């Protein structure tokens, strides 16, 4: 069964901490995405990557960075966590050829206190 | 950029009734329109999609219709069951060319 795995289901961090959210996919997909999900706001794109070591800003990149050192792994980094970054974070991947269907992980609920 | 509006934000129906969720998009170049279902504690999962060269697509109890001229598309669920209760998201994108833009989601509740 194909999978997108996010390393943590729940995470609690302190304001100012550096936070790493990890995502691994086993489908050999070129494209990987990080979304943020907040009630009533849908899914908002933070960053995406079409290839190893490549990254592009999405709609809300401020306060975040990403790393893609290997094809299967895409990390989201909060350099200095703030309370307004408390949210559900969803990782997704898709094939490069069509860039259509997204496969999502189960999400990481991050609380910044 | 693309903007997707989704209505209603919440929908409650009796088991066996039909449910309809509507979305509008702004970018006439968008040509791929998926629908995702998110159950509690899980990530969204694709349930049906439609491309701009097709007006309607059906898969058992779910169907999607697309009106390119009006720039809107809809999800229809017939004979709803309690397990259809979930959050549904529509999205729009240019296939082969980039990111998806999502609607704000519809929370569907099917009452037994």
């Amino acid at each position: 069964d194909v999978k997108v795995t996010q390393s943590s289901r729940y995470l609690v961090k302190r304001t100012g901490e550096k936070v790493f959210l990890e995502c691994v996919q086993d489908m050999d997909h070129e494209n990987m995405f990080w979304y943020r999900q907040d009630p009533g706001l849908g899914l908002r794109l933070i960053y995406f990557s079409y290839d190893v070591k490549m990254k592009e800003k999405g709609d809300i990149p401020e306060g975040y960075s990403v790393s893609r050192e290997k094809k299967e792994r895409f990390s989201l980094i909060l350099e200095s966590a703030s309370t307004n970054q408390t949210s559900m974070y969803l990782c997704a991947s898709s094939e490069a050829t069509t860039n259509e269907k997204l496969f999502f992980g189960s999400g990481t609920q991050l609380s910044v206190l | 950029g693309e903007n997707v509006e989704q209505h209603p934000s919440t929908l409650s129906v009796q088991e066996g009734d039909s449910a309809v969720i509507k979305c509008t998009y702004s970018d006439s170049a968008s040509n791929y329109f998926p629908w995702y279902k998110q159950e509690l504690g899980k990530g969204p999962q694709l349930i049906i999609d439609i491309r701009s060269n097709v007006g309607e697509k059906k898969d058992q109890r779910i169907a999607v219709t697309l009106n390119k001229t009006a720039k809107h598309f809809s999800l229809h669920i017939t004979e709803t069951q309690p397990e259809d209760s979930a959050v549904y998201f529509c999205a729009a994108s240019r296939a082969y060319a980039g990111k998806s833009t999502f609607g704000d989601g519809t929370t569907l509740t099917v009452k037994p």
Side-chain angles (χ1 to χ4, degrees):
Chain A
D1 200 15
V2 294
K3 260 192 168 179
V4 177
T5 303
Q6 294 184 232
S7 54
S8 303
R9 184 71 182 95
Y10 299 97
L11 213 50
V12 180
K13 296 293 181 180
R14 295 284 178 192
T15 303
E17 278 193 75
K18 190 169 186 176
V19 181
F20 292 86
L21 303 183
E22 307 286 347
C23 175
V24 177
Q25 50 96 2
D26 65 0
M27 294 167 282
D28 201 36
H29 284 169
E30 287 77 11
N31 305 334
M32 296 189 75
F33 306 82
W34 275 105
Y35 285 90
R36 173 177 170 158
Q37 181 176 13
D38 298 289
L41 296 179
L43 304 177
R44 294 180 291 167
L45 183 63
I46 305 171
Y47 266 97
F48 59 106
S49 169
Y50 288 146
D51 202 351
V52 175
K53 301 216 184 270
M54 175 272 174
K55 61 185 178 184
E56 285 199 36
K57 293 179 180 179
D59 299 318
I60 52 164
E62 295 78 19
Y64 303 94
S65 62
V66 290
S67 172
R68 188 140 181 226
E69 295 296 319
K70 293 184 177 181
K71 186 178 183 180
E72 67 271 18
R73 187 178 297 269
F74 193 35
S75 303
L76 180 68
I77 304 158
L78 288 65
E79 294 289 341
S80 177
S82 64
T83 54
N84 63 11
Q85 292 179 310
T86 291
S87 186
M88 171 67 79
Y89 291 88
L90 289 163
C91 175
S93 70
S94 69
E95 292 181 0
T97 48
T98 60
N99 196 30
E100 291 182 344
K101 178 178 179 178
L102 293 173
F103 292 84
F104 283 90
S106 295
T108 296
Q109 179 63 52
L110 173 66
S111 296
V112 182
L113 307 178
Chain B
E2 175 66 277
N3 183 50
V4 177
E5 293 190 3
Q6 182 172 346
H7 299 281
S9 56
T10 60
L11 180 59
S12 182
V13 300
Q14 286 295 134
E15 183 176 357
D17 287 351
S18 294
V20 180
I21 303 170
K22 299 182 179 182
C23 288
T24 60
Y25 61 99
S26 61
D27 185 357
S28 56
S30 290
N31 56 9
Y32 177 66
F33 307 94
W35 286 89
Y36 292 85
K37 175 184 180 182
Q38 185 178 28
E39 296 174 338
L40 203 60
K42 297 183 179 180
Q45 185 171 14
L46 182 79
I47 55 171
I48 195 166
D49 56 12
I50 193 167
R51 293 171 182 81
S52 58
N53 58 347
V54 175
E56 184 174 357
K57 184 176 178 180
K58 203 171 183 179
D59 183 3
Q60 299 182 340
R61 296 187 297 108
I62 60 172
V64 57
T65 58
L66 172 65
N67 183 327
K68 279 195 304 181
T69 305
K71 295 203 200 103
H72 66 70
F73 56 112
S74 301
L75 177 71
H76 304 253
I77 306 174
T78 58
E79 299 171 23
T80 54
Q81 300 166 4
E83 52 264 39
D84 293 329
S85 296
V87 179
Y88 292 82
F89 292 98
C90 64
S93 68
R94 302 182 193 185
Y96 306 97
K99 55 185 183 168
S100 301
T101 300
F102 285 81
D104 290 346
T106 297
T107 300
L108 172 65
T109 302
V110 180
K111 299 177 185 175

